[in-house]
Amino acid sequence: MTITLKETDAVVVGMGWTGSILARELTKAGLNVVGLERGAMRTPRDNFTIPAVRDDLKYAVRQELFQDAQLETVTMRHSPGETALPIRRLGSFLPGTDVGGAGSHWNGMTWRWLPSDHKLRSHVTERYGKDVIPPEMTIEDFPVSYDELEPFYDKFEKLCGVSGKAGNLRGTKIDGGNVFEGPRQNEYPNPPLTRSMAGEIMDTAARSLGYHPFPCPSSNASEPYTNPEGMTLGACEYCGHCERFGCEANAKASPNVCILPALLADQKFELRTYAQVKELVYDKAARKVRAVRYVDTRTGEEYEQPAGLVILGAYVFNNVLLMLTAGIGEPYDYKTGKGAVGKNYCYQVSGNSVTVFFADKEINPFMAAGAHGVLIDDFNGDNFDHGGLGFFGGAWIQGGTTNGRPIFTRPVPPGTPRWGREWKKATAQWYNHAFNIGASGCNYAHRENFLDLDPTYRDALGRPLIRMSYNFRDNDYKLAEYLGGVLGSIARAMNPTVMSNPAIKRGDYNVVPYQSTHNTGGTMSGADPKTSAVNRYLQAWDADNLFVMGASVFPQNASYNPTGVVGALAYWSAHAITTQYLKSPGPLVHA
Amino acid sequence: MTEETIPRRRFLLGAGIAGTAVASGLGQTEPAAAQAQGPAAAAPAAPQPEPLLALNETEHAFVVAAVDTLIPADELSPSGSDCGIATYIDRQLASAWGGGAKMYRAGPFHKGKPEQGYQLPLTPAEFMKAGIAAANEWSRKAYGRDFDRLVADKRVEALKAMEAGKAEFGSVSARAFFGRLHAMTMEGFFSDPIYGGNRNKVSWKMLGFPGLPATYAHLIDEYRDKRYVAEPRSIEDFS
């Protein structure tokens, strides 16, 4: 028996970054908002304090803060002809759960897309010719330009208190910042973090090669900071427990620190935890979502929550699942290229790195923050000439450490055995003398990389799992080989005692080793309802009261960690809802 | 083959279970000391055998022999089991994780490609137990006795054969089993001592990892390119 509840103005599915931002903006606009979170409450005071928060095994290895794969996971196959099998243990990517979502255990790298990333297809064809994009590479323009999104990038950076140095302030290029970035109206809210030894080495080497190093734009606050919501962040302690951990210092921006205390104090907002949204109740004729059905995971009881406005703020896979199971929009068919829901699933070409060892330098890798490296963008996006290279796109390249936690971080020179006396000797000898240079590559859409519903495997609520058909493609492999050469040259410029051979992404996509939790696409935004799932305001083409947040709206993935873009788009969409939609509910774009 | 008829038993703590206690090491073909070369560094107080939660005596003997081979005693650290790693593995296998928490366990089960990851119906505890049984079976075929009764250099050889996937296990994959054994050994060696391994923070001292509280904002400038030396502290030190 489903219990039907009293209608509310708006319901938000998932209380991570986007759900928290939308709930906050909608309550400010006067709406009564119900927030549904499948997981538990999580607060810095109760969950992120010393000494328990420094438990490497519990958080980094046993994945305390991540989605429970026993209840929900996805299946994976490399191509449509194969049988997909469930990812039984999370590995390659680690979606969050509980209040705050992945926003509480990210590293804090907070980027804007390059202006050219915003209009990828037209940029590439304008620069290299209209026939250069292979037909199977289904990249598109993002329907919001850099200039349109700039004020909202700015707003999200101020919410997070991002630390960094501008490289392009209203068109003026500034040495020491990222000179390739689009023009910023404002400097970062906080100065950059204190550079580490590894960062110094990276900076010197990059400059010696004529590149343009800059400090990582970081949501690890370099100084105490009060954001426009009146929430105070502490200063980063460089504790080396960012990724996979909550922040003990309240210095890492998270929904839990930056926005939820204000939201939870607002009478117009009601948070329901252990409320897992099972399905959307879709009225196809009226092109509206009437309600969401959710299960109280403590009791199994099912509820229907009617709402005037529905915000999907779940992770990529659940956004797509809820659209597909409700029948909103046309499911993508890779054979015909028709339909949009599930289309253009993209990931990240990560795992390209080189390790450098210095007998005479002390790195102290444990004095680190999650977004603390020194980077170059000289090989990112279209910042370099791709003529004759055979691929498009690029990568940020970073030198530095994020931690010295020894279960995972204890580099040894190439050729060292994995165990025994020689391994131990090398481990002790090099622990404090090494770091990585890594590259995070973009991933451009491919016709046969997509999401749909698995015909066999089901989740704990009885719904089909999302089936991922995905592999790296020619563009990715060529990019990775190219990056391997660049990484090697940077490493050599550091004149290390020893260096590893650059690790280059080769072979098929593997769900086991961690790569990145930067899954994108599946509800892509676009200008045409035939080829996209949501319009430029993230409003579903086929349900005007449904707005879809997060990286599922990306048409393809840039090199950058997506949170900065995701946060900016949440504010952009909230602005459209509160200034346009609420005045005149209906489609905001007429196709 | 007389060794195999002698039961593996250990000193056990507490009067209630004292009935099973006989001399440890009985039945070893090689005294444990013969494996160590040179004095063990920072040797902790002689560890008392601890009650087992998940492993039986035969499985425990395998794990002790394996972790002592992966992490032999030398000037940098005591042996793996003296660092508590066998205790760590036993406790982890008895934990919610060992019982399959956070693992998708619905069928149907197919072998799949390696890139599709683990596809067996076994929990981590069941997988380790099946792997140990298979490893001992293979060891009996290859060497005429269980793994823990091999001399040190044969243990090294046997683990290398598993690591390379050259050991023919009938059921689970030798390479996958070795991978899990290796991963758990490293976890036990390097994790916080509250989990039973890394006794006396021995691995952290070996590396120079300072542990907790890890607040370096006031030190990062001062220690740029200077070694930061601190007595490591663990969760228990702050509790």
Side-chain angles (χ1 to χ4, degrees):
Chain A
M1 273 300 290
T2 302
I3 299 161
T4 301
L5 304 167
K6 185 169 162 285
E7 176 158 348
T8 183
D9 297 329
V11 65
V12 174
V13 180
M15 288 305 295
W17 270 124
T18 64
S20 300
I21 288 171
L22 267 290
R24 181 68 175 145
E25 296 304 298
L26 295 177
T27 48
K28 279 185 194 167
L31 270 60
N32 289 302
V33 179
V34 171
L36 300 175
E37 165 55 44
R38 70 179 167 188
M41 188 58 188
R42 200 192 273 159
T43 64
R45 195 185 62 182
D46 287 333
N47 301 96
F48 302 148
T49 49
I50 282 180
V53 76
R54 297 282 196 264
D55 187 338
D56 195 13
L57 184 76
K58 176 178 176 178
Y59 291 101
V61 184
R62 297 286 179 253
Q63 310 183 344
E64 174 74 8
L65 302 179
F66 309 141
Q67 173 175 303
D68 186 344
Q70 188 160 21
L71 305 176
E72 291 173 85
T73 185
V74 302
T75 66
M76 192 285 287
R77 58 182 181 176
H78 289 130
S79 68
E82 298 177 1
T83 301
L85 294 179
I87 298 176
R88 295 187 179 275
R89 220 198 301 267
L90 297 182
S92 156
F93 50 86
L94 303 168
T97 194
D98 295 345
V99 171
S104 64
H105 55 72
W106 64 318
N107 254 341
M109 297 178 82
T110 313
W111 297 100
R112 302 172 170 202
W113 275 355
L114 298 167
S116 58
D117 290 330
H118 279 261
K119 45 170 190 167
L120 185 63
R121 176 168 278 275
S122 49
H123 174 88
V124 168
T125 50
E126 278 161 26
R127 183 165 176 185
Y128 300 102
K130 67 180 170 53
D131 299 324
V132 296
I133 300 172
E136 67 277 10
M137 186 190 276
T138 51
I139 56 174
E140 294 293 343
D141 285 1
F142 194 70
V144 185
S145 72
Y146 174 85
D147 289 340
E148 286 175 309
L149 202 57
E150 203 285 335
F152 301 94
Y153 279 129
D154 186 71
K155 193 170 167 109
F156 185 64
E157 288 164 0
K158 288 192 166 81
L159 180 80
C160 295
V162 179
S163 303
K165 181 168 170 55
N168 181 348
L169 208 46
R170 293 181 286 276
T172 305
K173 300 290 177 83
I174 302 165
D175 181 50
N178 181 7
V179 294
F180 295 101
E181 70 179 343
R184 311 168 59 84
Q185 292 307 301
N186 295 300
E187 194 27 292
Y188 283 100
N190 274 311
L193 290 163
T194 303
R195 192 177 283 167
S196 67
M197 182 60 192
E200 294 279 347
I201 296 169
M202 177 67 183
D203 188 80
T204 304
R207 281 182 193 284
S208 78
L209 293 169
Y211 305 147
H212 301 83
F214 61 93
C216 186
S218 172
S219 284
N220 318 135
S222 59
E223 295 176 356
Y225 172 79
T226 301
N227 75 11
E229 292 285 358
M231 303 291 118
T232 299
L233 285 80
C236 177
E237 289 287 357
Y238 304 83
C239 74
H241 291 71
C242 253
E243 73 260 287
R244 310 188 180 198
F245 294 80
C247 180
E248 182 266 336
N250 285 355
K252 178 168 66 177
S254 65
N256 316 62
V257 171
C258 296
I259 195 163
L260 282 166
L263 181 62
L264 292 168
D266 189 331
Q267 296 297 310
K268 291 194 160 299
F269 179 72
E270 183 194 344
L271 171 67
R272 293 182 202 149
T273 52
Y274 302 103
Q276 184 174 15
V277 173
K278 185 180 178 186
E279 59 193 341
L280 306 179
V281 181
Y282 179 44
D283 182 341
K284 193 163 188 167
R287 301 168 80 86
K288 302 266 185 201
V289 175
R290 297 295 185 194
V292 306
R293 290 204 185 101
Y294 69 91
V295 173
D296 183 328
T297 60
R298 294 165 298 192
T299 63
E301 204 80 62
E302 192 169 308
Y303 297 88
E304 184 166 312
Q305 175 63 64
L309 188 62
V310 177
I311 309 294
L312 271 191
Y315 196 62
V316 167
F317 302 114
N318 275 340
N319 282 353
V320 176
L321 179 71
L322 290 169
M323 296 275 285
L324 284 174
T325 53
I328 302 169
E330 190 184 344
Y332 175 66
D333 180 347
Y334 76 94
K335 291 190 197 115
T336 62
K338 291 200 170 112
V341 184
K343 185 182 174 182
N344 279 22
Y345 169 73
C346 293
Y347 192 42
Q348 199 105 70
V349 182
S350 54
N352 308 286
S353 71
V354 58
T355 310
V356 282
F357 301 81
F358 301 89
D360 58 346
K361 290 184 165 63
E362 301 288 347
I363 302 300
N364 295 325
F366 41 81
M367 294 184 182
H372 184 210
V374 169
L375 295 106
I376 58 167
D377 248 359
D378 297 74
F379 297 95
N380 207 343
D382 200 35
N383 297 339
F384 59 113
D385 185 2
H386 287 73
L389 292 179
F391 67 89
F392 296 107
W396 57 243
I397 295 173
Q398 172 178 239
T401 67
T402 60
N403 74 89
R405 300 188 317 272
I407 299 179
F408 288 148
T409 304
R410 39 187 165 77
V412 287
T416 305
R418 292 170 69 209
W419 48 277
R421 274 195 189 83
E422 286 308 308
W423 163 79
K424 207 199 297 183
K425 196 175 145 202
T427 301
Q429 182 180 347
W430 292 107
Y431 172 77
N432 211 50
H433 301 280
F435 66 91
N436 277 321
I437 313 166
S440 164
C442 69
N443 186 217
Y444 288 167
H446 188 279
R447 188 186 177 102
E448 293 191 1
N449 286 343
F450 63 95
L451 305 174
D452 64 358
L453 298 177
D454 192 276
T456 305
Y457 293 96
R458 297 192 168 257
D459 69 12
L461 296 182
R463 302 175 299 179
L465 298 186
I466 281 289
R467 175 171 63 179
M468 174 195 299
S469 300
Y470 182 76
N471 209 347
F472 298 113
R473 306 290 176 177
D474 195 44
N475 194 74
D476 308 312
Y477 294 123
K478 285 182 176 159
L479 167 62
E481 294 293 333
Y482 185 83
L483 292 171
V486 176
L487 290 169
S489 71
I490 296 171
R492 282 188 292 277
M494 293 175 178
N495 196 22
T497 314
V498 189
M499 60 181 266
S500 68
N501 290 320
I504 294 165
K505 173 80 77 193
R506 292 181 179 129
D508 293 329
Y509 171 58
N510 187 336
V511 303
V512 180
Y514 184 75
Q515 287 146 77
S516 92
T517 308
H518 305 157
N519 316 76
T520 69
T523 69
M524 63 182 277
S525 61
D528 181 349
K530 288 197 195 68
T531 55
S532 58
V534 300
N535 66 27
R536 68 198 303 261
Y537 300 109
L538 316 192
Q539 180 184 39
W541 288 111
D542 293 293
D544 69 60
N545 69 334
L546 176 68
F547 288 78
V548 184
M549 301 295 127
S552 63
V553 305
F554 292 5
Q556 58 270 329
N557 203 5
S559 147
Y560 299 113
N561 309 49
T563 302
V565 187
V566 164
L569 285 172
Y571 276 121
W572 157 267
S573 180
H575 182 75
I577 295 169
T578 55
T579 60
Q580 298 178 59
Y581 182 83
L582 293 179
K583 287 176 186 147
S584 173
L588 295 175
V589 177
H590 293 278
Chain B
M1 302 291 275
T2 52
E3 298 92 335
E4 287 177 43
T5 63
I6 301 169
R8 296 175 182 87
R9 293 184 181 171
R10 310 170 308 128
F11 283 115
L12 293 178
L13 299 173
I17 44 177
T20 58
V22 297
S24 74
L26 200 68
Q28 293 279 5
T29 54
E30 291 278 304
Q35 293 170 49
Q37 294 173 355
Q48 297 295 310
E50 304 196 27
L52 297 177
L53 299 173
L55 298 169
N56 65 31
E57 295 291 341
T58 302
E59 292 158 349
H60 182 259
F62 177 94
V63 169
V64 169
V67 300
D68 288 353
T69 310
L70 295 173
I71 300 182
D74 58 18
E75 69 282 3
L76 290 169
S77 85
S79 70
S81 61
D82 281 349
C83 293
I85 297 172
T87 303
Y88 166 85
I89 290 176
D90 177 60
R91 289 183 189 171
Q92 285 296 303
L93 295 180
S95 73
W97 174 83
K102 300 194 99 165
M103 256 179 81
Y104 184 79
R105 296 187 62 215
F109 293 91
H110 299 292
K111 188 162 177 241
K113 297 166 139 182
E115 296 84 6
Q116 289 173 309
Y118 183 85
Q119 291 296 336
L120 301 179
L122 305 174
T123 65
E126 290 166 343
F127 176 78
M128 280 302 283
K129 284 166 171 277
I132 291 168
N136 272 334
E137 195 183 325
W138 171 79
S139 181
R140 285 194 297 274
K141 274 188 204 146
Y143 299 105
R145 59 192 60 181
D146 280 3
F147 173 80
D148 62 292
R149 302 190 177 197
L150 302 177
V151 295
D153 61 342
K154 292 291 179 200
R155 289 180 183 177
V156 169
E157 186 183 292
L159 286 183
K160 281 184 177 167
M162 295 179 215
E163 182 177 29
K166 286 179 185 154
E168 295 282 338
F169 286 15
S171 48
V172 298
S173 141
R175 195 196 292 260
F177 170 68
F178 179 86
R180 172 57 62 193
L181 177 68
H182 181 267
M184 291 194 80
T185 301
M186 295 301 154
E187 289 162 15
F189 193 39
F190 291 110
S191 61
D192 191 282
I194 48 170
Y195 293 100
N198 193 14
R199 278 191 191 132
N200 292 346
K201 297 162 267 192
V202 61
S203 74
W204 293 1
K205 289 172 188 165
M206 176 184 104
L207 296 176
F209 173 64
L212 278 63
T215 48
Y216 302 118
H218 58 305
L219 299 171
I220 187 165
D221 257 329
E222 186 187 343
Y223 282 91
R224 186 172 298 104
D225 203 14
K226 261 167 59 182
R227 192 173 187 92
Y228 175 70
V229 181
E231 179 66 20
R233 287 184 291 173
S234 68
I235 290 172
E236 191 178 22
D237 298 328
F238 285 81
S239 301

